[in-house]
Amino acid sequence: MLNIVLFGPPGAGKGTQSQKLIAHYHLVHLSTGDLLRAQITQGTVLGLKAKKLMDEGLLVPDEVVIGMIDSALQEKKEAAGFIFDGFPRTVPQAESLDQLLAQHQTRVSCMVALEVGEEELVKRLLERGKTSNRPDDQDESKIRRRVNVYNTETAQVAGYYANQHKFHALNGIGEIESIFGQICQIIDQHQRPVIESPIAATDEVKA
Ligand code: AMP
């Protein structure tokens, strides 16, 4: 299974790149933001509670998003793999994801982070807000709060994956196709099978 964590601040291009990656690698896209917005549209209790936090640019509680990912993994047992977009956003979420994937005999293959500076993010999100209908994209102070939440609460998740030698960062400013190509190169490296050295194999036989 190929499980990719696509990481980066709001507006970095995770959604755009996810769409291209699911088509290329035949993966299931799991965006906790999309799952939460679906709850809001359906008018569920969870959706109503989450909406207040989302509109303010704050994170919803870990157990809520972890529960949603757990259910999605159970529902999509036949998937060739997943792209996690906007999840994990805290270290406890990253730890839970490892545990959940282990229950399905799989693991995170790699994390790719798209790096974009704050002023560019604000510009992009205000532009997106003209058509996205998302209250959190339409107010500059809320956008800046989301970026601040990313810097203070979410950025440390990168260290979690760096410790597992799975972290890769890319410049998220540039042509969409060029960034996509760079992400694919990283993913393909992680997909390459480990070929045993013939010398090591011979030594093992001798031993
Ligand atoms: P996104 O669509 O990824 O930009 O997420 C929109 C909003 O949904 C965020 O600002 C958070 O309020 C909430 N959200 C999405 N994913 C998570 C997550 N993994 N943990 C906590 N809150 C989340």
Side-chain angles (χ1 to χ4, degrees):
M1 249 180 151
L2 179 62
N3 299 305
I4 312 298
V5 174
L6 201 51
F7 194 67
K14 301 188 295 295
T16 305
Q17 294 296 338
S18 291
Q19 290 312 316
K20 297 180 74 64
L21 291 166
I22 54 176
H24 188 75
Y25 291 103
H26 310 291
L27 303 174
V28 171
H29 181 212
L30 285 184
S31 151
T32 38
D34 286 351
L35 292 170
L36 288 164
R37 282 184 287 277
Q39 294 284 329
I40 294 173
T41 306
Q42 289 161 29
T44 64
V45 175
L46 188 157
L48 285 174
K49 282 191 189 155
K51 185 176 182 347
K52 288 199 186 100
L53 294 162
M54 291 167 75
D55 285 353
E56 289 305 313
L58 301 170
L59 295 184
V60 305
D62 285 341
E63 58 272 21
V64 172
V65 283
I66 292 165
M68 290 193 317
I69 292 289
D70 188 7
S71 310
L73 292 176
Q74 311 264 14
E75 276 170 28
K76 311 265 180 195
K77 283 208 169 87
E78 309 307 319
F82 296 91
I83 295 205
F84 297 95
D85 164 2
F87 180 91
R89 263 175 155 100
T90 63
V91 171
Q93 289 181 22
E95 289 166 349
S96 296
L97 180 60
D98 277 352
Q99 288 162 12
L100 290 174
L101 290 177
Q103 286 167 19
H104 295 268
Q105 286 76 48
T106 186
R107 62 199 175 91
V108 169
S109 310
C110 62
M111 168 200 256
V112 182
L114 299 176
E115 296 181 333
V116 177
E118 178 162 344
E119 295 315 312
E120 174 70 15
L121 295 171
V122 172
K123 203 171 87 188
R124 286 185 186 184
L125 289 175
L126 284 173
E127 192 55 37
R128 186 172 83 182
K130 291 178 187 165
T131 51
S132 71
N133 219 11
R134 284 177 54 172
D136 59 346
D137 282 349
Q138 288 165 347
D139 176 326
E140 184 170 335
S141 65
K142 283 176 190 167
I143 292 174
R144 289 196 187 274
R145 186 180 294 160
R146 285 162 69 200
V147 175
N148 186 43
V149 165
Y150 173 82
N151 289 332
T152 54
E153 298 181 50
T154 302
Q156 50 192 301
V157 174
Y160 181 85
Y161 289 99
N163 285 338
Q164 297 185 5
H165 310 290
K166 293 178 181 174
F167 173 76
H168 302 268
L170 287 180
N171 183 356
I173 300 183
E175 293 291 326
I176 291 174
E177 282 304 326
S178 154
I179 296 170
F180 175 62
Q182 294 172 59
I183 300 176
C184 291
Q185 259 182 16
I186 293 169
I187 294 175
D188 293 344
Q189 272 171 24
H190 278 269
Q191 284 212 99
R192 225 178 274 154
V194 180
I195 300 165
E196 294 224 0
S197 134
I199 297 167
T202 317
D203 282 352
E204 220 174 88
V205 172
K206 277 188 204 153

